Amino acid sequence: MSDLQANTYSIKDRFRQFYPVIVDVETAGLDPKTDALIEVSMMTVKMDEKGMLVPDEQFHANIRPFPGSLVKQANIDFLGIDPFDESRNLVSEEDALIPMFKAIAKKVKANKCKRAILVGHNGSFDLGFIKAATERLNYKRSPFHPFSVCDTASLSMLVYGQSVLVKACIAAGIDFDLDKAHGAEYDTKMECLLFCKIFNKFTTFCGVPEPVNEEIDYTKSSSENSDEANKSE
């Protein structure tokens, strides 16, 4: 990457005005509508002076199961977490998520992006629980895109031939402590390092993607757009 590119390149330019936020959740089941969200962590990224992506700021909370939520014993046994242990400094979904949303929204604005996009290992799972909690809170200003994610499991499979987080980190040369796995705070840090590693590896060897400045009117048929694109060539 040239010095000029490094000085002018930004997260806004690279991610189509979406701001990547790495998210990991721990849950008491697999159904986001009924099962308790018990831990959440979010981590932001920034670009250094060379145009490389690096970890920025992390937010974390242990969450008290919402009233009427289900707690599946198999999930709790796997995680080794007591979701009702108040010594974990439990907070409500509202007290956990809304401050995070507001902090992320400030990062989105500071980077001149339109909204955040969730980055996660099997990110659609994390987004499902974040969306369900947002709906329970009736919070209308979630910074996250409602259905799109950047999935580090898929990206790791493509780049490193591994989809399991620990193996993907090992393949990427990232030290991973198995004793700390399956905690949202630690896993988010590892996922962030992995996402940055993949992005930086791609940027180093493939450079900066060329922008696509073609104006597309999505109200027209695909054939009409195709005809106009061909005329402009």
Side-chain angles (χ1 to χ4, degrees):
M1 184 182 297
S2 69
D3 290 339
L4 177 62
Q5 286 176 313
N7 290 334
T8 59
Y9 196 49
S10 68
I11 288 177
K12 172 180 70 69
D13 299 326
R14 181 60 180 83
F15 294 102
R16 204 166 63 83
Q17 293 185 295
F18 291 126
Y19 181 72
V21 179
I22 294 78
V23 177
D24 190 76
V25 302
E26 302 300 344
T27 68
L30 302 179
D31 189 333
K33 298 290 186 182
T34 62
D35 299 340
L37 172 64
I38 58 176
E39 189 178 359
V40 63
S41 186
M42 300 183 185
M43 195 162 191
T44 58
V45 293
K46 60 185 179 182
M47 278 190 174
D48 66 15
E49 65 279 358
K50 295 181 180 179
M52 296 290 105
L53 210 60
V54 296
D56 183 22
E57 189 173 2
Q58 185 168 20
F59 310 94
H60 172 263
N62 293 317
I63 301 176
R64 187 178 299 107
F66 68 89
S69 62
L70 301 180
V71 175
K72 307 292 178 56
Q73 190 61 44
N75 276 65
I76 298 306
D77 292 342
F78 175 74
L79 295 174
I81 295 174
D82 179 356
F84 302 103
D85 180 6
E86 291 291 340
S87 69
R88 296 173 56 240
N89 299 316
L90 303 181
V91 296
S92 67
E93 288 184 336
E94 181 177 11
D95 289 339
L97 291 176
I98 292 181
M100 290 188 195
F101 288 161
K102 290 181 177 180
I104 298 302
K106 288 181 179 178
K107 297 279 187 178
V108 170
K109 184 177 181 180
N111 283 273
K112 300 180 180 179
C113 292
K114 291 181 178 178
R115 67 190 319 164
I117 187 166
L118 186 147
V119 179
H121 211 70
N122 298 311
S124 58
F125 178 85
D126 302 278
L127 182 60
F129 272 86
I130 294 297
K131 285 183 64 178
T134 304
E135 291 169 3
R136 284 192 292 272
L137 297 174
N138 196 29
Y139 190 71
K140 305 298 185 183
R141 291 174 289 175
S142 171
F144 289 101
H145 192 287
F147 55 83
S148 292
V149 300
C150 290
D151 184 26
T152 52
S154 298
L155 292 173
S156 299
M157 179 72 82
L158 175 66
V159 177
Y160 297 112
Q162 302 292 337
S163 59
V164 176
L165 179 60
V166 58
K167 290 187 176 182
C169 286
I170 292 171
I174 300 169
D175 291 333
F176 194 103
D177 188 343
L178 280 172
D179 291 334
K180 296 179 180 179
H182 306 304
E185 188 171 19
Y186 183 75
D187 284 356
T188 300
K189 291 178 181 177
M190 296 299 100
E191 290 166 26
C192 186
L193 290 172
L194 181 61
F195 180 66
C196 291
K197 192 96 172 188
I198 291 170
F199 174 89
N200 295 338
K201 186 181 184 74
F202 180 90
T203 302
T204 298
F205 289 100
C206 298
V208 179
E210 292 293 329
V212 177
N213 296 319
E214 183 70 33
E215 294 292 334
I216 299 175
D217 184 351
Y218 291 99
T219 63
K220 293 183 179 181
S221 67
S222 58
S223 61
E224 288 175 315
N225 278 317
S226 179
D227 289 342
E228 289 188 5
N230 289 333
K231 290 177 184 178
S232 65
E233 293 179 352

